[in-house]
Amino acid sequence: MTTPTLLKNLSFARMNEGIGPLYPVVDDIALLKRLLAFGVRTVQLRVKDANHPNLSTMIEEAVKCGRLCNAQVFINDHWEKALAAGAYGIHLGQDDLLSADLNAIAKAGIRLGVSTRTADELDIAMSLTPSYLAIGHIFPTPTKQMPTPPQGVNQLKTHLQTVSGRFPTVAIGGIDLSVAADVWRSGVDAIAVVRAVTQSNDLAATLQAFAEVLTEDARNERTTFV
């Protein structure tokens, strides 16, 4: 996959507060609101069904809630509706980069997050000067069919060396509390979680548990690259 001329020489807005350490990805407005109420600063609304009857309303509500809470709410995939709603940010996969109007997104000052699964995709994403890079999937995940095998923490570290701090980074894919510490020590800026929050029976306790793992002390224990 090569980078079309359309995608070159773009630069997307920076994130006001960084991205991490926890980045929940949800498909439910009520849950998104609860996360914001608990003080989560960055959330993604990911509704897979493009024909969902309430999709536009959900996106508009997510954008509104983000503004009210002064939070960083990203909309996954549905860039036209997100652009129309004045979203804080949009998250796109590699295929979507070829169809989305990236110039319009950049000119609107909307942040852009980009998914990457391989070294080549990482290079393409970095050429866009995005607001952040998502690297995955790290572990097996049932939430989405993936065309590539899990990368694991060691490959994540390799990708982070390539990025070399130029962009905020997010690890995603099959991450729960049992592996969060290992992923965090890789040096990534944020950990994206899906089932860990969508299937939580006690959201407050889940968020507190992640907060205890994703601490400054844990940052100091991260691997130093040489």
Side-chain angles (χ1 to χ4, degrees):
M1 180 177 179
T2 57
T3 307
T5 302
L6 174 66
L7 305 186
K8 293 180 179 178
N9 302 317
L10 291 177
S11 181
F12 292 89
R14 303 297 88 201
M15 299 183 68
N16 298 341
E17 301 181 15
I19 192 167
L22 190 68
Y23 184 9
V25 178
V26 302
D27 62 0
D28 180 77
I29 288 294
L31 179 54
L32 185 145
K33 289 180 178 179
R34 290 182 65 203
L35 288 164
L36 296 180
F38 277 121
V40 176
R41 306 307 305 152
T42 308
V43 183
Q44 183 184 130
L45 177 69
R46 183 172 73 181
V47 180
K48 297 179 182 178
D49 184 5
N51 297 313
H52 193 294
N54 298 321
L55 181 58
S56 293
T57 301
M58 292 174 71
I59 290 174
E60 291 167 1
E61 187 71 8
V63 172
K64 178 182 177 181
C65 290
R67 288 175 180 165
L68 288 174
C69 296
N70 194 30
Q72 304 176 142
V73 176
F74 282 78
I75 307 300
N76 183 284
D77 286 351
H78 309 293
W79 66 269
E80 290 175 299
K81 295 181 185 298
L83 183 62
Y88 174 87
I90 294 172
H91 181 94
L92 296 176
Q94 292 284 317
D95 292 340
D96 299 305
L97 293 177
L98 300 177
S99 58
D101 189 342
L102 298 180
N103 290 294
I105 295 170
K107 288 179 181 178
I110 295 174
R111 286 84 182 163
L112 180 71
V114 180
S115 292
T116 69
R117 298 163 299 193
T118 66
D120 286 344
E121 289 184 353
L122 191 64
D123 287 341
I124 290 170
M126 287 193 295
S127 74
L128 304 178
T129 316
S131 305
Y132 72 81
L133 296 161
I135 302 171
H137 59 303
I138 307 304
F139 302 106
T141 172
T143 64
K144 186 177 180 181
Q145 269 197 324
M146 303 298 289
T148 55
Q151 301 199 53
V153 174
N154 286 337
Q155 186 60 44
L156 170 63
K157 291 177 182 178
T158 298
H159 289 321
L160 293 176
Q161 286 181 290
T162 299
V163 177
S164 189
R166 285 174 286 173
F167 306 98
T169 52
V170 181
I172 188 169
I175 301 172
D176 57 24
L177 275 168
S178 69
V179 295
D182 288 340
V183 177
W184 185 240
R185 283 192 291 267
S186 72
V188 74
D189 295 302
I191 290 177
V193 293
V194 184
R195 289 175 299 151
V197 293
T198 61
Q199 297 180 11
S200 172
N201 294 320
D202 187 337
L203 187 59
T206 296
L207 295 177
Q208 180 59 36
F210 272 106
E212 291 171 0
V213 171
L214 309 179
T215 64
E216 290 303 316
D217 285 343
R219 287 182 189 275
N220 295 334
E221 295 173 2
R222 290 176 176 180
T223 302
T224 299
F225 298 125
V226 294

